[in-house]
Amino acid sequence: MILASAPTATSPSAFWYLPIDAAAHGPALDHHLLLNLWIALALLTLAHLILFTGLILRLRSEPTHIGRIEYLPLAIITTLFIALAVRAESLWAANRYTGPSRTALQIEVTGVQFAWYFRYPGPDATFGVTRPQLVSAAEANPLGIDPADPHSIDDRVTSKLVLPANREIDLTLRSQDVIHGLSIPELRLKQNAIPGQTVHLHFTATTPGTYALLCTQLCGLGHFRMNATVQVVPWGDYIGWLASQPTEAHQ
Ligand SMILES: [Cu+2]
């Protein structure tokens, strides 16, 4: 499935209190957030008006039984909240987790206490096999890539996430040890990396710039330093940067 919203050249956030929108799906999420806030404000105001009205009426007269009329606002609010939740689900889950296009760029992100590693599959577009017994940061193989697998020869592992602008990305998210939380506020992405699970997230970054990738799960004593840099760059710059990174065959 192709993303519904067309990427724009620059898309600063619609709201001053949010980071800029650097992803195609960002504006729709921000508008939904604002809609939620306005509805919450309206309900808060309405609830207090009803509360004060009831208080004044009660001071003036004998208490009266309201009865079934209480169920009406309850039903309206329940319906409203279900509708908001269904819309949020379709904005986030339906578009982020399923249906990346076949041409989406594959990038693997692995969380390890206390660092993020990014792997690019190279011209064969296939990641080499990883084996837990080969994991060794000291031997420059933090992901345990098997050198005997021909697909691993052109893989590149980096400590910075560089993304081409206006190109769909299919992130494969993994964890080697505990639950880590991948969060890139400007790309409106937040997803836990769970050991034993492979989570796919697809999105299109639109606005070139340098952003922070943070771990949002308290994953151990070094959690505070578990961050990385994300760079969204034009396609030509991305190709140039990728070519300058050593492949597994030349580590
Ligand atoms: Cu972490």
Side-chain angles (χ1 to χ4, degrees):
M1 193 187 73
I2 295 164
L3 279 180
S5 48
T8 50
T10 53
S11 30
S13 169
F15 314 110
W16 59 266
Y17 48 84
L18 292 175
I20 68 152
D21 264 321
H25 65 272
L29 288 181
D30 290 358
H31 280 97
H32 191 63
L33 174 70
L34 192 71
L35 179 70
N36 275 262
L37 291 175
W38 277 117
I39 288 173
L41 180 68
L43 289 176
L44 182 82
T45 311
L46 187 68
H48 281 83
L49 282 176
I50 293 171
L51 205 63
F52 282 118
T53 311
L55 197 68
I56 291 162
L57 288 179
R58 192 165 175 149
L59 285 174
R60 287 186 184 162
S61 63
E62 286 293 303
T64 51
H65 188 63
I66 300 175
R68 286 185 187 170
I69 201 166
E70 286 176 25
Y71 291 106
L72 186 66
L74 190 68
I76 293 171
I77 290 171
T78 307
T79 312
L80 184 69
F81 281 1
I82 290 172
L84 285 174
V86 168
R87 185 157 183 264
E89 173 77 7
S90 71
L91 282 176
W92 171 250
N95 287 322
R96 296 287 72 71
Y97 296 107
T98 54
S101 71
R102 284 167 178 269
T103 55
L105 204 71
Q106 302 292 319
I107 302 177
E108 184 194 67
V109 180
T110 306
V112 184
Q113 284 173 320
F114 298 99
W116 294 101
Y117 293 104
F118 309 101
R119 181 155 66 130
Y120 296 78
D124 67 354
T126 308
F127 293 111
V129 169
T130 56
R131 303 191 192 284
Q133 62 270 32
L134 296 177
V135 170
S136 171
E139 290 172 29
N141 192 2
L143 301 181
I145 297 170
D146 186 349
D149 180 13
H151 291 304
S152 70
I153 293 165
D154 60 351
D155 285 9
R156 291 174 165 92
V157 178
T158 65
S159 57
K160 183 165 80 169
L161 178 60
V162 177
L163 305 170
N166 302 320
R167 177 77 196 261
E168 192 183 9
I169 312 288
D170 184 10
L171 274 193
T172 304
L173 193 56
R174 298 173 188 277
S175 169
Q176 244 177 37
D177 36 44
V178 299
I179 297 176
H180 298 283
L182 171 117
S183 171
I184 310 170
E186 284 83 358
L187 296 182
R188 302 295 189 271
L189 290 179
K190 200 163 186 284
Q191 169 61 46
N192 280 352
I194 302 151
Q197 282 189 21
T198 302
V199 181
H200 282 271
L201 267 182
H202 71 102
F203 63 96
T204 303
T206 52
T207 313
T210 303
Y211 312 114
L213 186 162
L214 310 160
C215 179
T216 49
Q217 291 291 353
L218 188 53
C219 56
L221 285 175
H223 163 69
F224 70 94
R225 61 180 153 88
M226 193 167 165
N227 48 41
T229 301
V230 181
Q231 268 187 322
V232 177
V233 296
W235 177 255
D237 294 2
Y238 165 76
I239 293 295
W241 171 82
L242 196 61
S244 71
Q245 302 299 307
T247 59
E248 284 302 299
H250 298 97
Q251 280 285 5

